[in-house]
Amino acid sequence: MIENRSENDRKGRGWICLGLLGILVIMAPYFLLGQDSVVTYHDQLDGELIAYILQARHLFRGNILPEFMNGASKTALTLPAPFFVLFFLGGNAYWALTAMALLEKMCGFLGMYLLVREFVEEKWIAAGTGFLYGCLPFLPVYGMSQFGIPMLLWCMLQLRKGSHMLAAWCYAAFYALSSSLVLAGFGILGMGLLWILWDWAVRKQAAGAKRLLTAWLLMLGIYIAENCRLLGQLLGLGEEFISHKSVYEHSAVPFGQVFLQSFLKGEQHSRDSHTLFLGIIFLSLAAGLALRHRLSRDGRGQSHTVSFVKKLQVMGICLGCNVFFCVTTAIWNSGAGVFLRSRLSVLGAVQIDRLLWMAPCMWYLAAACGMGLAWNVWLQAGRREENGRTGLARLAAGLWVLVFAAAAGVTGIWLLLAGDFKSNLQKLRNPEYPMLSYQDYYALGVMEQVKEFLGEASGQEPEAYRVVSLGIAPAVALYHGFYCLDGYSNNYSLAYKEQFRRVIAPELEKSDYLREYYDGWGNRCYLFSAEIPGYVTVEKNGFFFQDYCLDTKALYEMGGRYLLSAAYILNAEELGLSLMNETPFETPDSYYRIFVYSVEAL
């Protein structure tokens, strides 16, 4: 018995090591390429990474970020995962981001492995599911908000049983420290409270419910402490300003359209490629329910085997949770939901669809349980000799297992091809591969020239003047220590939005798309151009602005002294802009060519 247990533990450690090795392999290109790596920039390099950099620069120093949007409140760049700001204290943002990604993916793998092992005996199923979960293309800037959910759920199951309690409470605290209240935490707390009430009132498991409640209160306290400024703003306490969110224009989307989109694909930042699993999950549920009376004896009398019925229950719970998330999201974005949100001011901007960040964990756990069911049926069919139907039953179960395995394999390949992993492999094979890299995006080697030039030309340090960017995301200038009037924030002053609108009003009037984009949303407080309405970054390719419109007087009054443009502005003199460098700043392989214009007082 002791020998069997030792062998079982050894195999388990082997699968864990193999899975972690797989995570290291998919992360290897980021270490080999360094800042030449292709890194998703949308909602990451252009926003959240800058939040970490600036918050690290001003950690424990007041409530203002002086470089950002002319000195915005720190609530304008609330950290998605506050604990990870410590990674950025060293000053190298790329390696901090890479370390975050590695830690999160490993935690995602290990958490999903342990969670699946609670319900599925086969370690290879747990390891395979964990590896797929670790490959999901979640953005590392969001910390443990998504990758950490399986481990959190496993810890809650341990508290419920009264085992590993200290470790579980410690991880609950870590999860709250390394995740976002507004992106994932509110959903986790809400579902956790429902779970506690269920255990207390329905299952009559008071002891387990109390332990869960302790973890819940611990997480709630940490979230409140981390977000006290933001919560105070929402409640009208302390520092108070009217957020630009209060004028969001919400567009209703048909209930059925949102539900199907959410159910089949998930939310924008929680895409998990679970579509291939859907049919197999439903097939497993149907087959399991049909066979439950015959096969529920599987595992009776064997303490190490999880029952057939338990897997069915877990699959049902996972499916029910995801349907609930999708229905809630669809209602919130429907006509009735938009009517309600329009009357909730800032709270109406809450993105209930973030509940879908919990869905990938549910889908992959359900798929693992379905695979476990298929494997159990296949094993049992091989042992039965009744009624001469053993061969047919075993064949059907074998096909069931093979279809599951094929779906998992295709999903794994798709995850690797659809994310940055494929692009970085191409980059390793061909350094000239034309995908925007981390170095390209932040204009490393170019902005340093601009900074030195302005220092020599003005005789001033960056904090003495303000810049804006055209054809370049403001994140680039912020990354290099410039003080900017423009920026990307989901919670800044409405008064500032209106003030900045004066600067770009002439250009907004030329494009209905840009006008609605800024007035109805406005998170991107940028210098837009009607000549390239769908583009934020302009590559050096001969393009130039022919008829750019700008209220230079309004820009000067806000403190704007320099405009950094990724393209030549033909009518600059008419606008009151003076080109300072006839030869643009660039390097032979840079993505941008940067022209520097001084803003003249009119």
Side-chain angles (χ1 to χ4, degrees), residues 402-482:
L402 287 175
V403 169
F404 246 123
V410 172
T411 299
I413 293 171
W414 175 254
L415 289 175
L416 294 177
L417 293 180
D420 293 334
F421 180 74
K422 174 190 174 184
S423 299
N424 283 312
L425 285 183
Q426 294 278 24
K427 198 85 171 179
L428 283 171
R429 187 181 65 85
N430 175 21
E432 304 301 319
Y433 184 65
M435 283 289 287
L436 193 65
S437 69
Y438 181 95
Q439 177 170 278
D440 293 333
Y441 186 83
Y442 283 127
L444 302 182
V446 179
M447 289 299 287
E448 290 86 350
Q449 298 177 43
V450 174
K451 195 171 185 178
E452 182 180 358
F453 171 78
L454 284 177
E456 293 176 354
S458 67
Q460 297 176 316
E461 295 298 320
E463 58 266 26
Y465 56 85
R466 300 294 179 267
V467 304
V468 288
S469 301
L470 175 62
I472 319 168
V476 178
L478 288 165
Y479 183 91
H480 289 274
F482 286 98

Side-chain angles (χ1 to χ4, degrees), residues 44-116:
Q44 181 162 244
L45 301 188
D46 61 355
E48 305 294 8
L49 189 67
I50 297 302
Y52 287 106
I53 293 171
L54 295 186
Q55 294 280 14
R57 286 179 192 168
H58 303 284
L59 193 63
F60 306 124
R61 298 181 190 171
N63 299 327
I64 299 298
L65 298 173
E67 300 98 323
F68 188 69
M69 296 178 77
N70 215 13
S73 165
K74 285 187 174 180
T75 57
L77 288 179
T78 300
L79 289 171
F83 170 82
F84 286 110
V85 73
L86 300 177
F87 285 35
F88 291 82
L89 294 178
N92 192 310
Y94 174 79
W95 290 112
L97 182 66
T98 303
M100 284 177 67
L102 179 62
L103 179 61
E104 291 158 15
K105 285 179 176 294
M106 285 186 165
C107 184
F109 161 76
L110 188 58
M112 183 56 74
Y113 175 88
L114 294 173
L115 182 59
V116 171

Side-chain angles (χ1 to χ4, degrees), residues 467-497:
V467 304
V468 288
S469 301
L470 175 62
I472 319 168
V476 178
L478 288 165
Y479 183 91
H480 289 274
F482 286 98
Y483 285 60
C484 302
L485 297 178
D486 42 0
Y488 181 15
S489 168
N490 59 14
N491 182 38
Y492 65 98
S493 165
L494 175 60
Y496 192 86
K497 177 183 178 180

Side-chain angles (χ1 to χ4, degrees), residues 156-409:
M156 296 305 103
L157 289 174
Q158 303 315 300
L159 287 177
R160 205 175 184 223
K161 296 187 297 185
S163 63
H164 305 294
M165 291 188 291
L166 179 59
W169 279 319
C170 287
Y171 181 79
F174 174 70
Y175 181 84
L177 287 167
S178 56
S179 63
S180 168
L181 172 64
V182 298
L183 298 177
F186 77 94
I188 294 289
L189 291 175
M191 296 302 292
L193 186 58
L194 291 177
W195 190 359
I196 292 167
L197 293 174
W198 174 267
D199 275 1
W200 201 306
V202 179
R203 295 185 71 248
K204 307 298 182 183
Q205 298 291 327
K210 288 179 180 178
R211 291 190 290 268
L212 288 177
L213 181 61
T214 303
W216 188 89
L217 291 172
L218 175 63
M219 294 178 65
L220 177 64
I222 292 173
Y223 277 133
I224 290 174
E226 290 174 332
N227 297 274
C228 56
R229 291 195 187 101
L230 179 61
L231 295 173
Q233 178 193 336
L234 292 175
L235 297 173
L237 304 174
E239 175 190 11
E240 183 177 358
F241 62 84
I242 300 175
S243 173
H244 81 291
K245 283 185 173 183
S246 61
V247 295
Y248 269 12
E249 294 179 6
H250 306 292
S251 300
V253 184
F255 176 93
Q257 179 180 332
V258 177
F259 179 84
L260 286 176
Q261 170 75 16
S262 303
F263 192 78
L264 296 176
K265 295 185 178 180
E267 191 264 349
Q268 178 186 4
H269 292 307
S270 63
R271 300 290 170 84
D272 55 14
S273 302
H274 68 269
T275 311
L276 287 177
F277 289 140
L278 284 176
I280 305 170
I281 289 172
F282 283 116
L283 172 63
S284 298
L285 276 172
L289 290 172
L291 297 171
R292 69 186 186 279
H293 295 300
R294 180 180 178 185
L295 297 174
S296 62
R297 294 192 302 274
D298 179 33
R300 288 184 180 175
Q302 301 178 37
S303 59
H304 64 281
T305 305
V306 181
S307 75
F308 187 91
V309 171
K310 190 67 174 178
K311 295 185 183 69
L312 280 177
Q313 291 173 344
V314 171
M315 293 179 71
I317 291 171
C318 290
L319 182 60
C321 286
N322 283 351
V323 169
F324 171 73
F325 300 151
C326 295
V327 168
T328 304
T329 297
I331 291 174
W332 190 247
N333 289 284
S334 67
V338 168
F339 176 80
L340 173 63
R341 293 166 69 185
S342 64
R343 283 151 180 78
L344 293 177
S345 187
V346 174
L347 291 177
V350 172
Q351 293 178 275
I352 292 294
D353 55 1
R354 300 299 192 191
L355 287 172
L356 292 169
W357 283 30
M358 293 182 279
C361 177
M362 300 292 105
W363 286 127
Y364 278 71
L365 177 58
C369 287
M371 183 64 169
L373 285 178
W375 188 255
N376 289 162
V377 172
W378 187 80
L379 291 177
Q380 281 208 8
R383 293 195 295 264
R384 291 177 180 270
E385 298 292 342
E386 58 188 35
N387 300 325
R389 289 179 292 181
T390 303
L392 182 60
R394 190 169 175 81
L395 177 61
L399 289 174
W400 189 0
V401 171
L402 287 175
V403 169
F404 246 123

